[in-house]
Amino acid sequence: MEKKTFAIGKKEVKIPLLQGGMGVGISLGGLAGAVAKEGAVGVISAAHPGYREPDFYQNPVEANKRAIHKEIEKARSIAPDGIIGVNIMVALNHYEEYVRESVKAGADIIVSGAGLPADLPAYVEGSDIAIAPIVSTEKSAKVILKYWDRKYKRTADLLVVEGPLAGGHLGFHLKQLEEFTPELYDEEVKKILAVVRGYEEKYGHKIPVILAGGIRNHEDYVHAMELGVDGIQVASRFVTTVECDADEKYKNAYIQAKKEDIEIVKSPVGMPGRAIHNALMDKVASGTRVPAVKCLNCIHTCDPATTPYCITDALIHAAKGELSEALLFCGGRAYEADHIGTVKEVIDSYRFFED
């Protein structure tokens, strides 16, 4: 296959792979640094990276801001010349603060989803950081690129397209998840590419498009590239690596999962998500409400008075390996994991640039 690379700012992405951001505490500096060291783009999740800070429950925003710096520094120590990004959910209540902190901490790129990052250009103004919205449909691509063009007279530096088999929060309605067959979604990707090409022409520069969702092997990579994208995003496969920042029990939950264990769940964020079925999901299904350890007012779409469980608590339990109380986010093909490997092994398995 023809060698296809692209740049983020002044740095060349040597391996056309973006590691998906996974919070809470799944993709931090350790994983992101290891991925960046191999020549791909390592991404730290800004969803409560400070959960291990001693004052997290008393002062969560400051704890998270400190942790953003610490995790970027850790990643840089592993990959001094690598490309390090931060994934920041639009649904976070202190979204702007986390964006500005990521700029201060020296991230190369901000990847932003779980809502459309309408005012992200304003928050990075004056910096040279790259910005990348996450979209799932032609409609969402049109909306965000048109808005940025009209209001900020700029466009995306990179675009991530997350398909129906992606993990975590999904940019689809439940009906769309049922309707999008692989063939139909391939056509949706081509429509998104057509939208992007229009803005490339207007702004006179390349906008790399990265495809995500269930891309687990060389054949999946080849298929993605044949659609016309510039690279792939991989998340779930990096969970079962030595370098992943999560607890070993979380990693082993992927290895032990069967296809029928992976399901679509309703998240307090207000979006459907994909996770491994466990005791917490049974509780929620039975109507049992799981009270929060302490409401941190972290997500603007969550109503603390009615939410069946606290997503922050559930994801912290996951990162710590407390599986019965955890929300075990995963990709649609996470059940294919069969061992704990290394980041290099995962990247090498895609056989980039081979026919």
Side-chain angles (χ1 to χ4, degrees), residues 287-321:
T288 302
R289 189 165 180 267
V290 183
V293 172
K294 178 182 179 182
C295 180
L296 302 177
N297 191 31
C298 55
I299 295 173
H300 58 74
T301 50
C302 176
D303 180 358
T306 60
T307 186
Y309 63 97
C310 171
I311 191 168
T312 294
D313 288 349
L315 292 175
I316 288 174
H317 285 309
K320 291 180 175 179

Side-chain angles (χ1 to χ4, degrees), residues 5-6 9 27 32 47-48 77 87 108 119 126 133 149 182 192 214 238 249 251 258 281 303-304 322 332 340:
T5 61
F6 55 91
S27 63
H48 295 309
S77 71
N87 180 293
D108 296 301
D119 295 312
D149 176 44
I192 293 170
F238 287 119
K249 295 186 186 72
K251 301 176 187 183
K258 300 180 178 62
M281 294 300 100
D303 180 358
E322 298 161 353
I340 305 287

Side-chain angles (χ1 to χ4, degrees), residues 28-34 44 52 67-80 84 105 243-245:
L28 295 174
L31 177 58
I44 293 160
R52 293 176 295 195
I68 286 171
H69 283 264
K70 288 180 181 179
E71 297 304 331
I72 289 177
E73 287 171 8
K74 182 177 181 179
R76 291 271 182 234
S77 71
I78 298 168
I84 307 297
E243 298 93 336
C244 178
D245 298 281

Side-chain angles (χ1 to χ4, degrees), residues 118-119 121-122 145-154 203:
D119 295 312
L145 294 180
K146 183 178 181 180
Y147 187 84
W148 284 5
D149 176 44
R150 288 191 171 182
K151 186 169 183 179
Y152 295 108
K153 304 296 186 286
R154 72 164 295 175
Y203 284 88

Side-chain angles (χ1 to χ4, degrees), residues 53-317:
E53 293 288 303
D55 62 340
F56 174 68
Y57 281 102
Q58 291 73 41
N59 200 357
V61 177
E62 291 305 314
N64 288 330
K65 286 161 69 174
R66 285 198 306 274
I68 286 171
H69 283 264
K70 288 180 181 179
E71 297 304 331
I72 289 177
E73 287 171 8
K74 182 177 181 179
R76 291 271 182 234
S77 71
I78 298 168
D81 300 318
I83 301 174
I84 307 297
V86 181
N87 180 293
I88 310 177
M89 296 197 304
V90 178
L92 290 171
N93 261 335
H94 297 274
Y95 176 75
E96 179 180 349
E97 289 181 68
Y98 295 141
V99 169
R100 294 188 184 279
E101 208 63 36
S102 299
V103 173
K104 288 180 188 176
D108 296 301
I109 184 169
I110 289 173
V111 182
S112 196
L116 289 177
D119 295 312
L120 180 56
Y123 305 153
V124 302
E125 190 175 1
S127 75
D128 59 1
I129 197 168
I131 54 175
I134 299 173
V135 302
S136 292
T137 61
E138 177 193 21
K139 180 180 178 180
S140 57
K142 282 182 174 178
V143 168
I144 193 62
L145 294 180
K146 183 178 181 180
Y147 187 84
W148 284 5
D149 176 44
R150 288 191 171 182
K151 186 169 183 179
Y152 295 108
K153 304 296 186 286
R154 72 164 295 175
T155 193
D157 298 296
L158 181 142
L159 190 93
V160 177
V161 179
E162 287 195 350
L165 289 176
H169 292 113
L170 303 170
F172 300 93
H173 301 299
L174 288 175
K175 188 177 180 183
Q176 288 177 309
L177 287 171
E178 295 169 0
E179 291 175 347
F180 270 128
T181 62
E183 294 75 21
L184 277 177
Y185 199 70
D186 283 354
E187 294 306 309
E188 192 73 14
V189 172
K190 291 175 184 177
K191 291 176 184 176
I192 293 170
L193 285 167
V195 173
V196 172
R197 299 304 172 238
Y199 287 95
E200 285 182 334
E201 291 177 13
K202 180 168 184 175
Y203 284 88
H205 66 76
K206 174 73 177 170
I207 304 172
V209 175
I210 307 300
L211 184 60
I215 303 174
R216 292 193 63 89
N217 55 43
H218 175 71
E219 290 71 27
D220 298 332
Y221 162 70
V222 170
H223 177 72
M225 301 303 274
E226 287 174 345
L227 292 175
V229 302
D230 301 281
I232 59 173
Q233 178 176 284
V234 176
S236 290
R237 284 209 61 195
F238 287 119
V239 169
T240 52
T241 61
V242 174
E243 298 93 336
C244 178
D245 298 281
D247 186 269
E248 293 301 304
K249 295 186 186 72
Y250 181 91
K251 301 176 187 183
N252 282 315
Y254 276 48
I255 294 170
Q256 293 162 9
K258 300 180 178 62
K259 185 175 183 178
E260 57 269 25
D261 294 329
I262 297 175
E263 60 187 20
I264 301 298
V265 301
K266 186 176 180 181
S267 163
V269 170
M271 305 171 75
R274 180 172 278 110
I276 299 171
H277 186 89
N278 67 344
L280 177 64
M281 294 300 100
D282 285 332
K283 281 184 184 178
V284 172
S286 71
T288 302
R289 189 165 180 267
V290 183
V293 172
K294 178 182 179 182
C295 180
L296 302 177
N297 191 31
C298 55
I299 295 173
H300 58 74
T301 50
C302 176
D303 180 358
T306 60
T307 186
Y309 63 97
C310 171
I311 191 168
T312 294
D313 288 349
L315 292 175
I316 288 174
H317 285 309

